[in-house]
Amino acid sequence: MDLCCEEILHRHIDKTLENLHKNNMDACFLPRAADVPEKVSSLIAEGASVSCGGSATLAQCGVSGLLRSGRYHFIDRTSAGTPEEKLALEREALSADVFVTSSNAVTENGELYNVDGHCNRIGALCFGPASVLVIAGVNKLVPDLSAAVLRVKRAAAPANAARFDLDTYCRRTGECISISQGRGCDPAAGCQSPQRICASYLVTARQQDAARGRIKVILVGEPLGF
């Protein structure tokens, strides 16, 4: 990255951090993904109950390993032997001390945009865990909500559909069908596949004063996840 581009990127990051703070979310910037586990460990008390959403970001930056290190009571839905056990663990996660996740997009206006199929992740973002840590690489930064919607339709949804081996239009073509239909900025417009993963849509905007600092956003100066 040349100096000019780096300066522009850091101006975007600074503006995003400023607006996240204005929206009552704590926020910080870390230059490298390798710095993330130490920061996360400083925000979670040893022995705390912790859970997380399914996230390529957490695996790539080493946080998944930290959560499984034995330092915490980790509520791990992947340990379930049956669908019923998995659902019980996902419900237990809603009362965890800390929930760790990424975000499909983070806007310069200080908003988080997320799209879920099963919705355990956006459920925890909205309510339940006393603290929520959101880790997002610079590839998730977008100017506004319209760009966030398009990012999901062109990047996050196709990549995640491929990751889970789902038969969806976006997996086959690389973008949501709503884009070719001229409805790309309509968040809910999409395919009718039985395996569609875009079911519920959440914009996390200004948090109430009583919830100030509940959501903590860690922006990372490297691309992470989808």
Side-chain angles (χ1 to χ4, degrees):
M1 183 183 300
D2 61 42
L3 183 59
C4 180
C5 290
E6 188 170 349
E7 289 177 351
I8 292 171
L9 174 61
H10 279 282
R11 283 201 295 271
H12 290 324
I13 291 169
D14 289 344
K15 182 178 178 182
T16 303
L17 293 173
E18 178 185 356
N19 286 324
L20 285 166
H21 284 293
K22 286 180 179 178
N23 286 339
N24 280 343
M25 290 179 265
D26 290 347
C28 68
F29 173 72
L30 299 177
R32 303 180 306 140
D35 301 327
V36 177
E38 181 178 359
K39 179 63 178 179
V40 169
S41 67
S42 75
L43 296 171
I44 307 178
E46 192 163 341
S49 59
V50 182
S51 192
C52 64
S55 170
T57 292
L58 302 188
Q60 289 172 3
C61 66
V63 170
S64 295
L66 171 67
L67 299 183
R68 291 178 167 85
S69 67
R71 298 177 57 178
Y72 314 109
H73 169 54
F74 182 46
I75 304 167
D76 183 6
R77 64 178 181 157
T78 67
S79 67
T82 66
E84 293 78 15
E85 290 175 359
K86 181 182 177 185
L87 183 58
L89 287 169
E90 289 169 338
R91 286 177 171 156
E92 183 183 354
L94 295 177
S95 60
D97 296 319
V98 183
F99 190 86
V100 188
T101 184
S102 189
S103 184
N104 293 134
V106 182
T107 76
E108 287 187 10
N109 298 320
E111 301 142 338
L112 310 178
Y113 180 70
N114 286 284
V115 180
D116 264 7
H118 190 50
C119 304
N120 61 301
R121 181 175 61 111
I122 65 173
L125 261 170
C126 283
F127 184 80
S131 179
V132 177
L133 307 184
V134 177
I135 302 163
V138 291
N139 52 315
K140 306 286 188 75
L141 294 180
V142 295
D144 51 34
L145 286 173
S146 293
V149 170
L150 290 174
R151 185 186 186 282
V152 169
K153 290 175 181 286
R154 286 179 167 147
N160 280 302
R163 179 162 67 111
F164 296 120
D165 193 24
L166 303 178
D167 182 17
T168 63
Y169 181 92
C170 68
R171 192 262 176 90
R172 296 192 300 271
T173 68
E175 66 178 23
C176 179
I177 191 172
S178 64
I179 293 175
S180 62
Q181 294 174 336
R183 299 179 62 197
C185 287
D186 177 354
C191 72
Q192 295 299 310
S193 168
Q195 295 189 315
R196 172 174 161 171
I197 55 175
C198 300
S200 294
Y201 305 77
L202 175 67
V203 176
T204 305
R206 190 182 192 281
Q207 301 297 284
Q208 295 183 339
D209 287 351
R212 183 189 300 271
R214 173 182 172 267
I215 296 175
K216 303 165 184 67
V217 181
I218 300 172
L219 299 181
V220 184
E222 295 178 1
L224 291 170
F226 307 119

